[in-house]
Amino acid sequence: MSVVSDGKKAYRLLRKALASRSAVQRVRRTLSGQGPHPEGRFQVAVYFADGDVNMYQMRQWYRPLADLAERWPVVVLARSATAAEKLLAEDGPPVAFVPTVRNLEKFLAKQDIRVVLYVNQNTRNFQMFRYGRRWHVFINHGESDKTYMTTNQYKAYDYALVAGQAARDRLTRTLWDYDIERKTIEIGRPQADHYSGVLPYTPDERMVVLYAPTWEGDRPSAHYGSVATHGEAIVNGLLGTGRHRVIYRPHPRSGVVDDEYGAAHRRILAAIAQANASDPAAQHFYDHGPELGWQLASADVAIVDISAMVYDRLAAGKPLLITRPADERASIDVKGYLSACEWLTVGGAANIVGEVDRVSVDDDAVARLHTWVQHYFGDTTQGVATAKFHAAIEQLMQKWDQWHVRDADDIDVDDDDDDDDDADDED
């Protein structure tokens, strides 16, 4: 068995290497056709070292970055060919393909990058941290109460742009000797200012339910995924009523670790296809597209796992249920929103229609929801978060100017000292 397993692993690695090499060639041809970036064009960079499997972390920033680029032109430093290819094909910011450190250094030498933004904690971020005289800023790819949100890696960044008071509370509880007031800047949820898109269905009297589970996780403490425990009961229960429309949006990594998780995902897809064949007017939808926005804004009720999707939906201020992990080893922060959320247990999933109806009409549940929205995101009035994001970058640019002037003054002082020493030598 071990020989077979090793053979499969070797085959997968070979396929991955060949796919990566092909992607490199395609990216270089595309960029060659576009011509080089103008020197000195960019002062803000987004560093992205992941491949295309984690492109969801970048996509949610496309529109906020496009707004920012009207004031401060933005470029993505893509280390992976598969990610660079996706960025070039999609409506993202300009791309610099820098697979090696030498490529990265050459690009930085021709640009005036003053602020570097990071959407995740990839270990290759440290290859970028080596470059000083610029601000390294963690902006993350979502807001949540997962343990990922309190990693000690926050200390590696000069600053972190966080959603609101809840994020600061989490970091205060967890990190030792971390200067919350100086190192974090609240910006709300700029992505929520862009919750839009073309609906893939025709609205009618049906209640729209978004089921957006996360992946299975790669360790027990992160076993938040519900596809294999809650998912089939949720989807099958709603498909059978004739009065619900299901939008199924699973995490793109679903099934990469656990084969049974992937099998449950495929059974859900088959059930949706069968339901649509039986009743085409139902227009249930398997959503695996890159765009995230219309799902959160249009769904009457959302069912999500412990993930950033909880807080993406929370920012919309509409009813939601959070699946309670079946694995008791999963780490749950019950000091924040999860201490007062509407849980959906495995048993509750068997009565999903009743649970969905309950959170839709429960006035107390709605009132609690809006209290937590304020705690996590502050003022969610349209445009406020975008303004905060822009103000944060402006603040960092001003701080860069201050340090740049101070460095220039130090150089001038050193030059004067050298002149005095030369005069003394001549005497």
Side-chain angles (χ1 to χ4, degrees):
M1 290 295 292
S2 61
V3 174
V4 174
S5 177
D6 290 345
K8 288 181 177 179
K9 290 180 180 178
Y11 177 68
R12 285 197 295 268
L13 289 172
L14 178 61
R15 286 188 59 185
K16 185 176 180 180
L18 292 174
S20 178
R21 180 176 297 179
S22 297
V24 168
Q25 295 171 349
R26 292 192 299 270
V27 167
R28 286 179 172 161
R29 283 197 299 268
T30 300
L31 290 174
S32 177
Q34 293 180 354
H37 294 295
E39 292 190 16
R41 165 69 173 166
F42 302 106
Q43 292 182 320
V44 177
V46 183
Y47 182 88
F48 190 68
D50 278 83
D52 59 344
V53 71
N54 284 332
M55 276 298 298
Y56 70 96
Q57 298 171 346
M58 276 297 309
R59 288 185 181 115
Q60 63 180 268
W61 279 105
Y62 282 178
R63 290 178 180 173
L65 289 171
D67 281 351
L68 182 67
E70 294 180 7
R71 173 70 177 87
W72 304 102
V74 177
V75 64
V76 178
L77 304 176
R79 303 298 305 277
S80 163
T82 57
E85 187 170 31
K86 290 289 186 181
L87 285 159
L88 290 166
E90 297 174 359
D91 189 23
V95 178
F97 180 45
V98 286
T100 69
V101 172
R102 179 175 294 181
N103 296 145
L104 181 60
E105 289 182 342
K106 287 182 177 179
F107 183 81
L108 293 175
K110 296 179 180 180
Q111 300 295 331
D112 184 22
I113 303 299
R114 303 181 179 190
V115 176
V116 185
L117 307 176
Y118 300 81
V119 299
N120 60 29
Q121 301 283 17
N122 190 296
T123 55
R124 292 180 77 187
N125 289 0
F126 280 86
Q127 291 183 339
M128 187 67 200
F129 289 164
R130 66 194 294 177
Y131 302 105
R133 290 183 167 78
R134 64 203 75 204
W135 301 123
H136 297 270
V137 184
F138 186 52
I139 61 174
N140 214 334
H141 56 273
E143 166 70 0
S144 77
D145 284 315
K146 293 166 66 173
T147 54
Y148 177 89
M149 300 297 294
T150 55
T151 168
N152 208 55
Q153 289 165 299
Y154 268 79
K155 294 178 180 178
Y157 303 89
D158 297 305
Y159 296 94
L161 305 188
V162 298
Q165 186 59 45
R168 285 181 159 178
D169 290 348
R170 278 195 306 269
L171 293 169
T172 298
R173 288 194 302 267
T174 307
L175 301 185
W176 290 348
D177 198 27
Y178 183 67
D179 192 341
I180 296 292
E181 293 302 319
R182 188 180 68 83
K183 301 271 283 185
T184 62
I185 304 172
E186 293 184 22
I187 63 168
R189 182 70 173 156
Q191 294 90 330
D193 287 336
H194 303 278
Y195 283 175
S196 62
V198 178
L199 297 181
Y201 60 86
T202 302
D204 53 22
E205 71 282 357
R206 289 177 184 258
M207 176 182 286
V208 178
V209 180
L210 168 66
Y211 175 42
T214 190
W215 67 306
E216 59 268 39
D218 56 1
R219 57 195 180 279
S221 64
H223 284 173
Y224 302 120
S226 67
V227 167
T229 53
H230 302 62
E232 291 180 84
I234 290 171
V235 174
N236 291 331
L238 294 171
L239 293 178
T241 67
R243 63 184 180 90
H244 294 92
R245 173 171 293 118
V246 176
I247 307 298
Y248 175 51
R249 183 183 174 85
H251 192 288
R253 288 180 61 84
S254 296
V256 300
V257 173
D258 184 352
D259 290 339
E260 176 51 34
Y261 202 90
H265 161 66
R266 291 188 291 274
R267 289 193 294 269
I268 289 174
L269 295 183
I272 290 173
Q274 183 176 356
N276 281 333
S278 300
D279 180 11
Q283 300 180 79
H284 306 294
F285 186 67
Y286 165 42
D287 175 27
H288 55 90
E291 185 177 47
L292 178 62
W294 62 264
Q295 308 88 334
L296 301 166
S298 65
D300 298 298
V301 176
I303 304 167
V304 301
D305 298 342
I306 297 175
S307 70
M309 286 294 288
V310 171
Y311 306 90
D312 291 340
R313 172 65 175 191
L314 189 64
K318 300 177 71 174
L320 72 158
L321 290 160
I322 293 103
T323 62
R324 184 86 185 190
D327 191 336
E328 295 182 354
R329 297 171 297 176
S331 177
I332 302 175
D333 183 352
V334 293
K335 298 181 180 65
Y337 173 60
L338 299 183
S339 68
C341 69
E342 302 294 334
W343 285 114
L344 180 67
T345 63
V346 172
N351 181 36
I352 188 58
V353 174
E355 290 292 288
V356 165
D357 288 344
R358 179 182 63 81
V359 298
S360 301
V361 299
D362 188 334
D363 291 338
D364 290 339
V366 172
R368 287 195 299 271
L369 180 72
H370 288 299
T371 297
W372 286 103
V373 169
Q374 175 67 33
H375 181 57
Y376 277 84
F377 302 104
D379 186 352
T380 57
T381 302
Q382 183 72 19
V384 170
T386 294
K388 288 181 178 180
F389 178 42
H390 291 190
I393 299 301
E394 183 75 32
Q395 176 184 340
L396 294 173
M397 289 295 182
Q398 291 175 0
K399 288 184 176 181
W400 187 93
D401 286 336
Q402 293 167 5
W403 279 89
H404 182 69
V405 169
R406 197 190 77 165
D407 283 353
D409 289 344
D410 288 345
I411 292 172
D412 289 342
V413 169
D414 290 342
D415 288 343
D416 290 342
D417 288 344
D418 289 343
D419 289 343
D420 290 343
D421 289 342
D422 290 341
D424 289 341
D425 288 341
E426 289 175 359
D427 289 339

